[in-house]
Amino acid sequence: MGTQAPENHSLAKDERSAGEKAIDDWLPITSSRNAKWWYSAFHNVTAMVGAGVLSLPYAMSELGWGPGITVLMLSWIITLYTMWQMVEMHEMVPGKRFDRYHELGQHAFGKKLGLWIVVPQQLIVEVGGDIVFLVTGGKSLKKFHDVICGNECKDIKLTYFIMIFSSCHFVLSQLPNFNSISGVSLAAAVMSLSYSTIAWGATAHKGQLPNVDFHVRATTTPEKVFDFFGALGDVAFAYAGHNVVLEIQATIPSTPENPSKKPMWKGVVVAYIMVAICYFPVSFIGYWAFGNQVDDNILITLNKPKWLIALANMMVVIHVIGSYQIFAMPVFDMIETILVKKLRFPPGLALRLIARTTYVAFTTFVAITIPFFGGLLGFFGGFAFAPTTYFLPCIMWLAIYKPKRFSLSWFTNWICIILGVILMILAPIGALRQIILSAKTYQFYS
């Protein structure tokens, strides 16, 4: 794919002091480097396939057949290419590993500018993603409760279900690093494949609605345009694994003979095959069956058989537990790095307990305050996921490797950059409108 990155054939001498090494051995991203290639596979599946897949039929209903299929397929190809770039760039400098997204940004753009370009976007993606995962987990728990109880149980506010869902994260957030959450991540990856299969399988079994309508759901031209923009954001959100890919690769051992990019890329390919197996059938069969009557979460559209829909919603709950932890780990790393390296707090259990508990409490508060599921997906998808996923890796590649002008690599990267910038500009516009419309009828903590 494009310009080949240089092989890493030598490892430089470790010049860190004993104190710096001790801190690096304690921080979440660099504390453990014994992961296998399949860790990469299920971590990437957990990071990518989550809340996004359930909204894809709704996105299709706003795009229509032609644009919908085109956008989904293009996104899969472009993001696989940019993922490959990041895997290659992880060890582009012999003897050095760019363990964090912002470290690669600093190498490409300079020490200060790299931080300002990458860190705000990465934080928006990861913190925003965690907020959406809490909303999704709460909604799926509520759906599970409502399906099982029917009309026999008292109606419980969504706020309480989000709080119930978030409670487990106060415990799981204390797991020290990526390798320690590998079991949670594996369970989440299996659940994603399972509930995606249930979503399209149950939809196919139910069949098409009578008089199904494939016209876009909006009626006026402005509504069609805004909905189209918002749907682009939904698709962008569905491909969000790039924000943790370097951090995942940092957990894989590396030697000059066997650099980490080989097992990492193997895991990424497996993950992207699983992504295709999840995304495309759910999107196309969901839209084929329900047309423009589909909800922004396809499992909400499906009501029968009750036991199967209840099971699928509980699978979503388990999956987004893993997704939350995968997205939170780089944030924990940033927080703990600042506390220990900048503010000179001693590393230890007390610091980790206070810092991570505060983060979980903050994301929970935001989730129960503004749980606009569809709008949040589109807004965060366009505003932050598009740069970090679709075109920032391409800009870094051009800045570092400087491929020959008008070469295949040069053209490929510029096409990705142009499409990504268009996505970043257009998607939040439609999503913001959707949030405003939802806010008109919304009551806080309902």
Side-chain angles (χ1 to χ4, degrees):
M1 288 188 187
T3 305
Q4 287 297 321
E7 294 290 336
N8 177 17
H9 287 300
S10 62
L11 290 176
K13 187 179 177 182
D14 193 343
E15 296 176 354
R16 295 173 298 169
S17 68
E20 289 173 333
K21 189 175 185 305
I23 290 173
D24 286 341
D25 289 344
W26 180 79
L27 289 171
I29 302 302
T30 49
S31 62
S32 179
R33 295 197 191 268
N34 58 4
K36 309 296 183 187
W37 72 265
W38 52 87
Y39 285 40
S40 157
F42 53 73
H43 282 330
N44 277 296
V45 170
T46 301
M48 235 177 301
V49 185
V53 65
L54 301 175
S55 72
L56 290 178
Y58 185 84
M60 286 284 294
S61 73
E62 294 179 318
L63 295 167
W65 276 119
I69 292 171
T70 303
V71 169
L72 275 170
M73 297 296 290
L74 261 181
S75 293
W76 191 89
I77 293 165
I78 290 171
T79 57
L80 179 60
Y81 173 67
T82 54
M83 183 80 84
W84 170 80
Q85 289 180 310
M86 295 193 73
V87 171
E88 287 288 325
M89 289 189 285
H90 180 79
E91 290 173 291
M92 70 178 78
V93 178
K96 182 173 177 60
R97 298 182 69 172
F98 297 109
D99 295 320
R100 299 163 179 90
Y101 205 143
H102 68 81
E103 291 176 3
L104 181 60
Q106 287 175 299
H107 180 72
F109 307 122
K111 205 160 190 180
K112 283 190 176 179
L113 183 61
L115 273 180
W116 281 106
I117 289 173
V118 176
V119 171
Q121 292 187 83
Q122 194 178 12
L123 281 175
I124 289 169
V125 168
E126 288 163 354
V127 178
D130 278 342
I131 292 165
V132 174
F133 294 141
L134 288 174
V135 174
T136 308
K139 281 197 168 188
S140 296
L141 266 182
K142 180 172 171 58
K143 179 70 175 177
F144 175 82
H145 170 269
D146 293 347
V147 168
I148 293 296
C149 284
N151 298 321
E152 297 173 17
C153 298
K154 182 182 177 182
D155 185 52
I156 300 174
K157 291 180 180 180
L158 174 61
T159 297
Y160 295 128
F161 283 107
I162 294 174
M163 292 169 70
I164 292 166
F165 177 75
S166 70
S167 61
C168 69
H169 294 294
F170 286 98
V171 178
L172 290 175
S173 65
Q174 298 307 312
L175 293 170
N177 52 48
F178 268 120
N179 287 348
S180 65
I181 61 171
S182 57
V184 178
S185 184
L186 174 60
V190 172
M191 290 300 106
S192 67
L193 197 59
S194 302
Y195 72 70
S196 297
T197 304
I198 288 173
W200 68 259
T203 303
H205 183 264
K206 185 173 183 176
Q208 266 188 329
L209 289 178
N211 303 316
V212 64
D213 188 354
F214 293 121
H215 291 96
V216 291
R217 60 178 56 242
T219 52
T220 66
T221 302
E223 285 177 344
K224 289 177 182 178
V225 172
F226 282 120
D227 284 355
F228 186 91
F229 292 168
L232 293 177
D234 290 349
V235 175
F237 182 89
Y239 294 93
H242 296 58
N243 296 282
V244 291
V245 68
L246 292 177
E247 288 81 354
I248 292 169
Q249 191 168 348
T251 66
I252 296 175
S254 185
T255 63
E257 298 77 25
N258 293 297
S260 63
K261 67 182 181 182
K262 291 181 180 178
M264 183 66 189
W265 179 241
K266 189 176 179 182
V268 167
V269 170
V270 171
Y272 258 77
I273 291 169
M274 289 184 69
V275 166
I277 291 170
C278 292
Y279 283 14
F280 299 142
V282 172
S283 305
F284 303 151
I285 295 174
Y287 183 46
W288 166 81
F290 300 116
N292 59 20
Q293 299 302 306
V294 71
D295 287 291
D296 67 352
N297 180 335
I298 191 172
L299 291 180
I300 293 173
T301 314
L302 292 163
N303 287 308
K304 293 179 181 179
K306 278 191 173 184
W307 67 270
L308 192 62
I309 304 309
L311 178 64
N313 276 279
M314 191 48 66
M315 286 175 172
V316 174
V317 171
I318 295 169
H319 176 82
V320 290
I321 286 173
S323 299
Y324 183 98
Q325 291 301 317
I326 291 288
F327 269 48
M329 198 59 74
V331 183
F332 295 155
D333 183 80
M334 289 184 202
I335 294 169
E336 288 164 17
T337 298
I338 291 169
L339 291 174
V340 174
K341 290 189 175 182
K342 301 288 184 187
L343 303 179
R344 303 293 180 186
F345 282 96
L349 182 62
L351 181 142
R352 185 161 277 169
L353 181 66
I354 294 168
R356 296 189 180 190
T357 300
T358 303
Y359 174 79
V360 176
F362 168 74
T363 53
T364 302
F365 172 75
V366 177
I368 63 177
T369 304
I370 46 169
F372 309 132
F373 180 66
L376 283 173
L377 277 179
F379 186 74
F380 287 124
F383 186 66
F385 288 81
T388 54
T389 301
Y390 285 78
F391 67 86
L392 195 54
C394 298
I395 294 174
M396 290 178 178
W397 189 273
L398 291 174
I400 294 166
Y401 291 116
K402 297 178 174 62
K404 189 178 179 182
R405 186 172 290 190
F406 305 122
S407 65
L408 178 61
S409 177
W410 187 88
F411 266 119
T412 304
N413 284 294
W414 273 109
I415 289 168
C416 293
I417 291 167
I418 292 165
L419 292 175
V421 170
I422 292 170
L423 185 63
M424 180 188 71
I425 294 169
L426 298 183
I429 298 171
L432 194 58
R433 174 180 169 272
Q434 194 174 338
I435 291 172
I436 292 166
L437 291 174
S438 300
K440 283 183 178 179
T441 57
Y442 178 70
Q443 292 182 331
F444 281 103
Y445 310 113
S446 59

